Amino acid sequence: MAAAAEIGGFTAAALRPAAHPAPAAAAAAPPQPRRAVAAQSLRTTATETLTADLAGMTNGAVHAQMNSEATSEITSQAVIFRRKTKIVCTIGPSTNTREMIWKLAETGMNVARLNMSHGDHQSHQKVIDLVKEYNAQNTDGNVIAIMLDTKGPEVRSGDVPEPIMLKEGQEFNFTIKRGVSTEDTVSVNYDDFINDVEVGDILLVDGGMMSLAVKSKTADTVKCEVVDGGELKSRRHLNVRGKSATLPSITEKDWEDIKFGVENGVDFYAVSFVKDAKVIHELKDYLKGANADIHVIPKIESADSIPNLQSIIAASDGAMVARGDLGAELPIEDVPLLQAEIVQTCRSMEKPVIVATNMLESMIDHPTPTRAEVSDIAIAVREGADAIMLSGETAHGKYPLKAVKVMHTVALRTESSLYNPTTSPSLVASAQGLQNEDFSPSQLSKMFGSHATMMANTLRTPIIVFTQTGSMAVLLSHYRPSSTLFAFTNEERVKQRLALYQGVIPIHMQFSDDAEETFSRAISSLLKAQYVKKGDYVTLVQSGVTSIWREESTHHIQVRKVQV
Amino acid sequence: MATAARSLHLQGPTPSKPSNPSHHRLPVPSHLRPQRRRLAASSSDLTSFPESPPATNGVHVSWAAASSVAAAAAAAAIDVDAATEAELRENGFRSTRRTKLVCTVGPATCGAAEIEALAVGGMNVARVNMCHGDREWHRGVIRAVRRLNDEKGFAVAVMMDTEGSEIHMGDLGGAPSAKAEDGEVWTFSVRSSDTSLPDRIIHVNYDGFAEDVKAGDELFVDGGMARFEVIEKLGPDVKCCCTDPGLLLPRANLTIWRDGSVVRERNAMLPTISSKDWIDIDFGIAEGVDFIAVSFVKSAEVINHLKSYISARSRGSDIGVIAKIESIDALKNLEEIIRASDGIMVARGDLGAQIPLEQVPSIQKRIVRMCRQLNKPVIVASQLLESMIEYPTPTRAEVADVSEAVRQRADALMLSGESAMGRYPDKALSVLRSVSLRIERWWREEKRHEALELQDVSSSFSDKISEQICNSAAKMANNLGVDAVFVYTKDGYMASLLSRCRPDCPIFAFTSSMSVRRRLNLQWGLIPFRLSESDDMENNLNRTFSLLKVRGMVQSGDLVIALSDMLQSIQVMNVP
């Protein structure tokens, strides 16, 4: 099968009848023997019982299949194309068992997200323990990081004994009095609601599933007219179009949850409804005080956060584009542009960025995504996001594994067309120049990062980096090399964290005092895990602000042939 | 003009104007304008506009106002789309929407009021889908659109979409849908049946179906909305077990998969245009539709065949043939199909059923690009806002998808079920509209001129000149930051060449033919006007300026570039 033809992005080589030797494919894609990519079709596995057939231990790597006509020399140099864009899966009732977490990990999950809006500490504890158990068993690169997502100051409607049908044009009221639930009035859990809302505002229920126009208000009640009706159930999420609630980003419950996260040593916090950098500093100070090494990812989802985007991201360890509330507080048509801006901002600051919400919404109920959803994943990958996220799809959907598989396949496919050297390598940054003869370690690291990436891209070799703090791996990931980046670290926490970064396969290893010995141990562990094979070339990078094995003043890039 | 919110016809006194010989190039079949003929029985030519009673929506402008500059003009009539006119007046040139919108008209939108609401909401092309409904019903819709155009001055084109002859299910005995549950056994039968079938028996339209499938094959309904595994074959009946539950819709597309790829056996031999399609096409010609979209096109041959059929059937007709790209075969012959057609539709629904889904985004991108290169309009269709069939708000993925299609600078975006049978057709249309406007504004703010190298497309020397003129004019328009490009075109070709360059400013395309005007409405950035032109360019311009000024659509001092296909020249000027 002419696998090379798939790179052209066009000809469905796998579907071509054998009788046709793919002339169109040749036209679409000039021969690219070494970059043969065999992205597996979404169709090949139709059942939910996905197991290790997906090269489970390499986290969904797809090994290149070579055109049978290719020479044997080329065959021995087959490039392995692995998905670079990481997948965050929200764990919920559909997936909180041992079996499902294992299957998610084998299908492509890189980060397990715990949503503190649902469940209790006991249920989350169980998931954390399972993920840790998985990580302890899989030490060769399939690392699952844990992200704890705070609930934040969500404005929600109160409990209703049974769903209320709202019809277009009818009057309906929200009151700040507690416990009210009548035919035409329901409570809101937030007292300043009455002050935040003005006549003429549009209230959105669940991000726009229903909407109401504010007609008038009294001391404790907001009177509205229904614009888009539907069934109002208990505790629905409310937004005011164009406004953010004047609430602290971290509530008392959130502090409890954060403490829980510290106790369990989670890897990331995702902080809901961040509006400015102040709250990030506050949380970081707290973590410092608690001696907890946990990274903070603000969720960009409120209208107020947009003017402060630069300062928020600068203060944080990344960002999440939480498109649900963003599209409710701001015009929905602004979301694609904001997404691009947030991704760009993070990338320019060398921080990881996650695109989230509604990515495969239809797969909560259906086994196949809509074409729009497939396109959406491709867009996020092309923009260069580090990770894409599943929420309800894996938390309570009917087809969690299929959703992950779709993400994996679409991301892999899109990446393979992006890194095709015949197309413009938009993701690959140009080499870093030396500014103002600044030979500071950080400048030199940048130069080495970018040049090592160029070199690895030219030679089409994977990169191997050794890192104690993770910073050199992060820097290399920033330059988006076209092959895999193997990051060896002797820090368990660093290994966990690197799971979120684009293109990085983090591996924990004790470093010995002898550099040469460490290199050969690293390479043999890659051989053992079948990441590389004998005769392959790899690019080794020794650089970074803190030196390992080398003199402070030297940096190295070297290319090696894998020996057994 | 406050009273003229809906007004479209602007007319001065219309002295009978001698017929312009050049119009014989594009005679419009009389069936295209039955209403008009009746209204303007005395008109001797296509360019004069019917008198409409003053009490209705026509607006009479005093001769003095209209004629201050263009006193010499024979007929001072100009038509423009009502929705565009309002947009122009409110927001000015630069902010008019460039991306065109196609809405499928179905049960949710077939009333005159609903169709008008869509037109006001920005529908440029109304699509009727021959897979559903009978011809009487479609006739009603087509005529309602025509009436709307005639009475309220819209220029909504009509696109008729043929059913095609890929394998599909029967109509479920009239039920709107059926639900297949996991593990259920269903029978797919080629037995023809006039009576409604019992539960869990589905009729399949293709006689070779039972022979082509094998036990163990997978059957995909509508690209995977439900899946079945073939358990056994019993003569004409094929027993299948549901492996993925889902909703079965009437006439849903079926694909057979074996070992991870589509089985293409004898069904590849099915004619692209079935006998039912031919009857539908006759119907479309008789009703004077503007476009016919052909499903499951496999090669350029069928397009060429259809085009010669159409021109034989309706002499000099200019019905555009749109090829739907939705099969593997179409991808193989893509370039020749695009060259043969008058436009392309990326039908992502069925395409995603025939090739791995993850390839659809890059294929879409490629098709859009190729159509630009070959100067053919391209429509991105299927599942743009699927969730809005049920909900008033789109998912964020859908918004991103629409924004991507706009960024690719596709000519048009299409709604299918969202407008045909959804609960929120107007809201879905408004999402397409606001996303298009937002992305287009962003280009202008970011000054994202697109650096796409356009290859030469014209074959004759004269066309080559037009092409070069358009390329240069578009570049000038961007560099000078003009307010609009005016193009005077008989057959629309020059307007389409300009649209292909995707300039920053809108393109006002003036044509004397109603049908050319409607067809141009599918193309990116074109604001088509009907104007009875003279051969004197100076005269045309002055008349246009004065007519547009009266309506508040241009102002003195606006900078425009003017082109004409009669006089191959570029003029840059300020509106006097």
Side-chain angles (χ1 to χ4, degrees), chain B residues 75-95:
Chain B
I78 191 165
D79 294 346
V80 65
D81 193 280
T84 313
E85 184 180 1
E87 202 183 351
L88 266 173
R89 261 208 308 262
E90 276 162 33
N91 308 322
F93 287 163
R94 304 287 282 186
S95 65

Side-chain angles (χ1 to χ4, degrees), chain A residues 324-366:
Chain A
D325 281 293
L326 200 55
E329 290 196 5
L330 291 168
I332 202 161
E333 61 269 23
D334 284 352
V335 175
L337 296 173
L338 289 170
Q339 174 179 325
E341 187 187 338
I342 298 164
V343 170
Q344 268 317 309
T345 308
C346 284
R347 286 197 55 196
S348 70
M349 296 190 195
E350 295 163 23
K351 296 191 174 179
V353 57
I354 305 163
V355 173
T357 326
N358 283 171
M359 294 208 87
L360 290 170
E361 192 75 7
S362 74
M363 291 192 74
I364 292 177
D365 291 317
H366 301 285

Side-chain angles (χ1 to χ4, degrees), chain A residues 9-10 15 40 42-43 207-209 228 323-324 332 334 336 358 368 370-372 375-376 379 382 402 409 413, chain B residues 220 224 244 257 261 334 348-349 352 354 358 362 366 383 391-393 395-397 400-401 403-404 427 438:
Chain A
F10 207 61
L15 304 171
Q40 293 195 2
L42 290 181
R43 311 288 186 199
M209 287 306 165
D228 281 317
R323 308 186 296 180
I332 202 161
D334 284 352
N358 283 171
T368 311
T370 70
R371 307 308 178 251
S375 156
D376 181 45
I379 293 163
R382 274 190 222 134
K402 274 188 183 149
T409 316
R413 169 80 203 175
Chain B
F220 283 54
D244 259 337
W257 287 68
S261 59
L334 190 63
R348 310 188 300 179
Q354 292 218 350
E358 66 273 17
S362 58
R366 175 104 184 247
Q383 299 182 353
Y391 300 106
T393 190
T395 71
R396 306 313 180 240
D401 176 47
S403 80
E404 176 65 17
K427 286 213 159 84
R438 183 69 189 92

Side-chain angles (χ1 to χ4, degrees), chain A residues 169-402:
Chain A
Q170 90 170 72
E171 194 177 280
F172 193 80
N173 310 314
F174 292 95
T175 176
I176 55 172
K177 283 187 283 193
R178 293 286 179 267
V180 179
S181 168
T182 65
E183 238 168 59
D184 64 351
T185 307
V186 74
S187 300
V188 172
N189 70 345
Y190 159 52
D191 289 342
D192 267 332
F193 182 71
I194 200 86
N195 301 322
D196 284 359
V197 171
E198 278 164 53
V199 172
D201 280 349
I202 299 286
L203 290 182
L204 302 177
V205 181
D206 285 341
M209 287 306 165
M210 288 174 263
S211 57
L212 304 96
V214 178
K215 290 293 171 193
S216 63
K217 58 180 191 178
T218 65
D220 56 12
T221 302
V222 176
K223 290 189 192 299
C224 309
E225 186 184 308
V226 177
V227 179
D228 281 317
E231 264 192 357
L232 182 73
K233 296 180 188 158
S234 289
R235 295 189 211 180
R236 293 298 85 196
H237 182 43
L238 299 178
N239 290 106
V240 182
R241 171 78 73 197
K243 290 186 180 175
S244 302
T246 48
L247 282 169
S249 296
I250 303 182
T251 63
E252 273 170 40
K253 172 185 169 14
D254 293 338
W255 283 115
E256 286 300 308
D257 293 337
I258 287 166
K259 228 176 103 203
F260 168 79
V262 171
E263 284 158 12
N264 282 284
V266 299
D267 302 301
F268 298 98
Y269 288 118
V271 187
S272 295
F273 293 100
V274 170
K275 287 183 266 185
D276 51 40
K278 225 174 71 208
V279 65
I280 302 291
H281 292 306
E282 192 186 347
L283 175 55
K284 290 211 140 193
D285 288 345
Y286 169 84
L287 292 174
K288 210 168 180 184
N291 202 18
D293 179 21
I294 300 173
H295 276 199
V296 176
I297 310 278
K299 289 163 74 177
I300 309 297
E301 56 187 332
S302 76
D304 290 353
S305 68
I306 300 302
N308 304 325
L309 206 52
Q310 292 282 339
S311 62
I312 292 173
I313 297 173
S316 315
D317 303 301
M320 182 195 292
V321 191
R323 308 186 296 180
D325 281 293
L326 200 55
E329 290 196 5
L330 291 168
I332 202 161
E333 61 269 23
D334 284 352
V335 175
L337 296 173
L338 289 170
Q339 174 179 325
E341 187 187 338
I342 298 164
V343 170
Q344 268 317 309
T345 308
C346 284
R347 286 197 55 196
S348 70
M349 296 190 195
E350 295 163 23
K351 296 191 174 179
V353 57
I354 305 163
V355 173
T357 326
N358 283 171
M359 294 208 87
L360 290 170
E361 192 75 7
S362 74
M363 291 192 74
I364 292 177
D365 291 317
H366 301 285
T368 311
T370 70
R371 307 308 178 251
E373 289 164 341
V374 174
S375 156
D376 181 45
I377 295 173
I379 293 163
V381 171
R382 274 190 222 134
E383 285 173 346
D386 287 81
I388 43 187
M389 191 171 108
L390 294 169
S391 313
E393 300 90 333
T394 48
H396 58 85
K398 281 156 78 179
Y399 304 97
L401 295 178
K402 274 188 183 149

Side-chain angles (χ1 to χ4, degrees), chain B residues 469 473 476-477 482 484-488 494 498 508 510 537-538 540-542 544-545 559-565 567-574:
Chain B
I469 285 179
M476 284 171 71
V482 305
V485 178
F486 282 23
V487 56
Y488 295 83
M494 200 147 173
L498 259 178
F508 286 28
F510 301 92
M537 181 69 173
E538 204 61 27
N540 277 340
L541 274 173
N542 285 331
T544 314
F545 288 152
L559 186 63
V560 300
I561 289 180
L563 310 176
S564 149
D565 57 6
L567 196 79
Q568 292 180 315
S569 69
I570 302 180
Q571 295 183 55
V572 184
M573 64 184 74
N574 287 106

